[in-house]
Amino acid sequence: MNLLTPASPSVAAPAVTTVTKTTCCYCGVGCGMLVESDGERIVGVQGDPAHPANYGRLCSKGMTLPLTAQSLAGRVLMPELRAARDAVRVPATWDDALGTVASRFADIIREHGPDAVAFYVSGQLLTEDYYVFNKLAKGLVRTNNIDTNSRLCMSSAVSAYKMALGADGPPTCYEDLEAAKTVIFAGSNMAYAHPVLFRRLEAARAADPSIRWIVIDPRRTDTAAMADLHLPIVPGTDVALFHGMLHHLIWEGRIDRRYIDAHTEGFDALKQILRAYPPQLVADVCGIEESALRQAADWFGESPAALSLYCMGLNQSSHGTEKNLALIHLHLATGQIGRAGAGPFSLTGQPNAMGGREVGGLATMLAAHRDIGNAAHRAEVEQLWGMQGLSDRPGLPAVEMFDAVRDGRIKAIWIACTNPVHSMPDSARVREALDAAEFVVVQEAFHQTDTVPYADVLLPATSWGEKAGTVTNSERRISRVRAALEAPGAARADWWIASEVARRLAPKLDMPVERFVFDSTEAVFNEHRALTLGRDLDIGGIDYAMLEQQGPQQWPFPAGATQGQARRYEDGVFATSDGRARFHAFEYQPVAEPINARHPFRLITGRLRDQWHGMSRTGRVGQLFEHAPEPTLTMHPTDATRRSLRAGDFVRLSSRRGERVLMLAVSDDVASGTVFVPMHWSGQFLGGGGVNDTTTGAVDKYSKQPELKHAAVRVDPMTLPWRVSAVRRGDALQLHAAVQPLLAERRFATVRLEGEDRLVVCAADDQADADWLERLHTALGLPRDEALLEYRDARRAMTKRVAWRDAVIEGVLVAGSEADVAGSASLLARVREGTPWTRARHAVFVADSAATAGAARDRTVCQCKQIKASSIAAAIATGADVSKLKATLGCGTVCGSCVPELQRMCVASKASSFAPEPSATAGAV
């Protein structure tokens, strides 16, 4: 077995290892993995070739998962408590920690009622974890105040599925990726966010070049660059676009009236609305060519199988449900649903957002897709749980939940496996909420998150490779998750922690203990399974034994069935009371926060290829920073020129709520008037926090999902003359923990891991701060003896410090002007090289312009093979295409995540080769 991603190329694999089947912990594709461990650590991983979600493929993030688990530095390994909000947390026993949580929750519930407490959990929990938390909140505490970060991810897709089709859950499956003849990507940069599934689409189109791709995205992403048709719409105008496309299909007679009459309701009311959306008007609203809109509609309507793939670009909107519905309308009106290669397919953003919805782990639903407001549904759950009195009041969804904590309606909150201080919109309000709370519990695997500092009780949870249970992926497929290692330190499974608190809390609330505690994940799964019987997601035919023997299975899979249902609604019977799908008539509404003269830019946020959420895990791996190492704001060249800005300048991004200082990137991949910022940089890597300080808390009226994808902002130049740059070799995770508290003190400061053993720090501010520089020196562990060589120029307020270990440079710290730091690039590069210095030590400060010029960063395009952009560009210059790049350099041959960028580089090179030669005097002064 050729397992990839060894622990370290310098460490030989142990003689005896075990291989464990599990799944990836990132996006909702649900990739199967084979994990190799030696009993103490994970030493390799490869995709499981037998798993139907990925057939052995992994993306760059999945390939490097073992590297995230090599060190326990930064892991929460024992419970911690603090007696007062201004005290320091101290280590505690599990009994003390669990008892404290139970006692504090019980006191608040007795004094203020059950709705004075809340639970905020995560789409990264396993289904069994989710189930126990849901039962703890709704059954034992009797509050529906349990929500999840899936509210920020999939809730608009859920609302639309229920309103249009009658039940949550995509009607499609992964086999439709190969069967589709026309594919719409709507608000999804699938090449980055779901690269394993994107590989399947690439392979299908390579086998059948007649397959057409339509990408709807304000940015020219890697996905858009590969499209046959790209519609770069104005952010937020998706409903108008889909209405305009359906108007055109009706006008051209390309709808399926027989399907509409036989299987749907409400079409005529929608048709009346659509009269006001002719393609010419819609094209103006969306900022695209009318011909492009008509072309997209024609391709969709005439296709033998049209599949739509959509994600956060539709969901994270104050009108996300209507965006989803308007897209589903296209499928219903043309009969493009319930058959191979056709249907609306929402791409799940987290590994188990689907499983969380199955168990009812949101504030607005009960277990197994039941409704809180339905008395019969409550009675069914009460009967199985053996209790009475479930609350009929919907709980508070995420944004409202933290507002209630902020204003004191909720006194205590338990946060598990998520980082709301970073991921929630309008982050300042979340920080204020947690400051105001009487009691905050954080259940987490890593110390380095923005939420952990607010914990009064910190509970150590297991992480990837240590968990056991099940997850459900985007195509409704349930997979077993198995632990490859024992939990480190005192870390425990999330379900166990919730169950043990229930054991202590139940007597205090006069409830029977035995109804709320579990002794195994299988017992949890079996109770969950019993709740699904007779429901649309019936899994009565699935148990742990089947999953072990036959592998992952799709629901619905009722008892007696021989297999799950891959594709739903094939018979045209939907999960509504009368079996008919529903059209909904509504007008296009603009974004919640329009631009104006003071805030003239549209901010959109999104993902990077190699990072995940707030980087609490991917941020532990240096090579995952190599493709995009800096937190940047991307602006169109025209907008930058108009403001006299250049790439690399510092800019202040500000909205009505907050601001953030970032570095400027210039690209025509964004339209004029729009700027883009990746979502990943948190306060652990960027001083002050991430982009969500500027985003709005406006929510969708149906799903309560916030509009994280759009805010009205301004961008102003920032002059920060004092610059600091440092590179230090050593235990990068420990160095990061020491340096991170210093970041927030600077106008701009960022830290990242580099390679296997280096930390890089960059900072800038209005004026020099000698005290801060000394504290940074200490945090980096630089020596203050003969091992340190320092050069100072007091007149220029410049200092260069070099730390040595024998003849090897172990660290460099440079502070001064922009020119001073830029001129020290070769000095900083010496740390990266790690080779002995053979000249006199003082000669290291001698300026070497050639070396400095050569020290410019060479971006890594292919993570798996570590192929740099310069090598790829050189090969393309000699005529190499993607196939030859794969054959000669090896890039794109492992996970394939870099293939879209390789294609873009080839296209860009070809375009530039046909550009006219500049005149001899062009650019002359």
Side-chain angles (χ1 to χ4, degrees), residues 58-78:
L58 293 175
C59 71
S60 60
K61 296 182 289 291
M63 292 285 292
T64 54
L65 263 171
L67 299 179
T68 71
Q70 289 307 300
S71 172
L72 293 179
R75 284 293 301 270
V76 183
L77 296 176
M78 62 192 313

Side-chain angles (χ1 to χ4, degrees), residues 44 53 56 88 91 97-98 202 236 310 326 415 454 492 654 684 782 850:
V88 175
L98 296 169
E202 284 181 308
Y310 51 100
I415 300 167
Y454 295 90
R492 295 292 182 268
S654 57
Q684 302 304 307
L782 296 174

